[in-house]
């Protein structure tokens, strides 16, 4: 069985504010040296998918620079490989994506010309680890037309921000509530679809030209009574960065504070692959103190770091204190400065003695901020 992977990575994600001024949410740095898209892309590769299309639109430069030719994911190959699918301006007009269904429809060529029988569609800004092989087997065992991956969300999620799914005793989806207050169930759709390629093409051809641009709302849900749409229950860790700055911060804190999350994301079901960079190992001077933190390669630590994630090439000078914060690549914290409850984007510079403390909410500094 051959499966085509499609990753939706073109959303603007306004909830992330300054963090997505200059990058797509799928390109957001995670856990010291990864990008958000690394997780879905690695899941696909680890599950035997050798042809992946990444649909981009909003601020794609950083994402494209990260993905390159797909070498790190073993996708620079003659058969299959990595395809960047961007909107474009053609002779007869502009073809910006109007929604998820429209984005796939405009790239119908990758479906039409491929030898794959099935399509797995995921999002580039979801953090989880999953081997899709079990999903394939579940799909076939149910005789499903479409399988949607779902999860029972606990009270750390705001269920009103997610699509809520009602299933019967066989896990067939009977009702769907899209982002409503007090839905009848906390089973949420995780934005992962598995579907026969030819069925997907038929549905898109019959929907998108008539103005239906959203894959879930316009293509699948109106046909819930006609198609066999099943829910596949995912039990593992799953978070959606697009939900906001607090969610992005929580994901990074979960990785440093919860050993189970760390082991699931990085040691189970294959590696998480990412773009390699030639940095030396992190250096800790005799004055440094580091507690419960991730410090990536290329960093030089002479101050105090506690409960924080420091990305590559970060410099923390003597007497500086960092606590409960995310410090992105190339940022410099000078002598005596204090950073607490904050997210500092790439290449920021905090001068000597400056104090940055988030009281009721996180402080977020835009890329290359000097303070």
């Amino acid at each position: 069985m051959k499966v085509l992977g499609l990753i939706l990575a073109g959303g603007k994600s306004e909830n992330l504010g300054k963090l997505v001024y200059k990058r797509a949410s799928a390109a957001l740095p995670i856990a010291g040296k990864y990008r958000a898209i690394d997780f879905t892309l690695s899941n696909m590769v680890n599950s035997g998918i050798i042809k992946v299309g990444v649909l981009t639109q909003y601020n794609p430069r950083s994402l494209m620079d990260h993905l390159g030719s797909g070498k790190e994911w073993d996708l620079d190959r003659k058969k299959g490989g990595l395809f960047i699918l961007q909107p474009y301006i053609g002779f007869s007009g502009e073809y910006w994506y109007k929604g998820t269904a429209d984005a796939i429809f405009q790239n119908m060529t990758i479906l039409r010309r491929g030898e794959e029988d099935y399509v797995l569609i995921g999002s580039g800004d979801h953090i989880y680890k999953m081997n899709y092989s079990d999903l394939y087997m579940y799909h076939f065992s149910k005789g499903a037309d479409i399988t949607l991956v779902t999860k029972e969300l606990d009270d750390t999620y705001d269920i009103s921000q997610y699509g809520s799914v009602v299933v019967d005793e066989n896990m067939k989806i009977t009702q769907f509530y899209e982002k409503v207050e007090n839905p009848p169930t906390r089973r949420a759709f995780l934005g992962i679809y598995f579907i026969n390629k030819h069925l997907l093409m038929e549905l898109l051809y019959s929907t998108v030209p008539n103005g239906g641009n959203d894959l879930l709302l316009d293509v699948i849900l109106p046909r819930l009574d006609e198609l066999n749409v099943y829910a596949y229950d995912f039990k593992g860790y799953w978070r959606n960065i697009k939900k906001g700055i607090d969610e992005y911060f929580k994901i990074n804190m979960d990785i440093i504070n919860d050993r189970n999350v760390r082991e699931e994301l990085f040691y189970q079901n294959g590696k998480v692959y990412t773009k390699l960079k030639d940095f030396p190992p992190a250096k800790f001077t005799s004055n440094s103190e580091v507690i419960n933190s991730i410090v990536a390669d290329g960093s030089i630590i002479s101050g105090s770091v506690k409960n924080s994630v420091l990305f590559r090439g970060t410099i923390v000078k003597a007497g500086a204190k960092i606590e409960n914060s995310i410090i992105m690549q190339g940022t410099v914290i000078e002598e005596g400065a204090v950073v607490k409850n904050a997210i500092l984007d790439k290449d920021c510079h905090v001068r000597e003695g400056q104090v940055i403390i988030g009281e009721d909410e996180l402080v977020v500094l835009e890329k290359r901020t000097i303070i």
Side-chain angles (χ1 to χ4, degrees), residues 127-194:
I127 307 303
Y128 66 107
K129 197 69 170 295
M130 182 177 179
N131 188 321
Y132 300 123
S133 300
D134 292 341
L135 169 63
Y136 306 159
M137 299 308 295
Y138 178 87
H139 179 86
F140 299 131
S141 70
K142 290 292 184 182
D145 295 314
I146 303 169
T147 300
L148 306 182
V149 178
T150 61
K151 176 180 173 63
E152 286 280 345
L153 300 186
D154 59 31
D155 56 10
T156 63
Y157 301 81
D158 179 0
I159 189 63
S160 66
Q161 294 187 26
Y162 299 86
S164 177
V165 173
V166 178
V167 299
D168 66 13
E169 63 277 11
N170 293 316
M171 294 296 284
K172 187 174 186 292
I173 297 176
T174 56
Q175 292 176 292
F176 196 105
Y177 297 84
E178 176 64 2
K179 298 178 183 175
V180 299
E181 293 290 340
N182 303 316
T185 171
R186 292 191 68 85
R187 183 186 299 279
F189 173 46
L190 305 188
I192 307 168
Y193 311 71
F194 187 61

Side-chain angles (χ1 to χ4, degrees), residues 4 6-11 53-58 83-88 95-111 121-122 200 204 207-209 212-216 218-219:
L4 168 68
L6 292 178
I7 299 178
L8 305 172
V54 179
L55 296 116
T56 70
Q57 180 158 267
Y58 174 76
F83 295 80
I84 305 296
L85 307 173
Q86 288 184 265
Y88 57 93
Y95 301 95
W96 296 103
Y97 299 150
K98 300 171 186 172
T100 49
D102 181 55
I104 300 172
F105 183 75
Q106 290 196 39
N107 293 283
M108 195 67 86
T109 302
I110 194 171
L111 279 77
I121 303 169
L200 175 62
L204 292 175
T207 305
V208 177
N213 295 315
D214 189 275
L215 181 59
L216 178 68
D218 298 324
V219 177

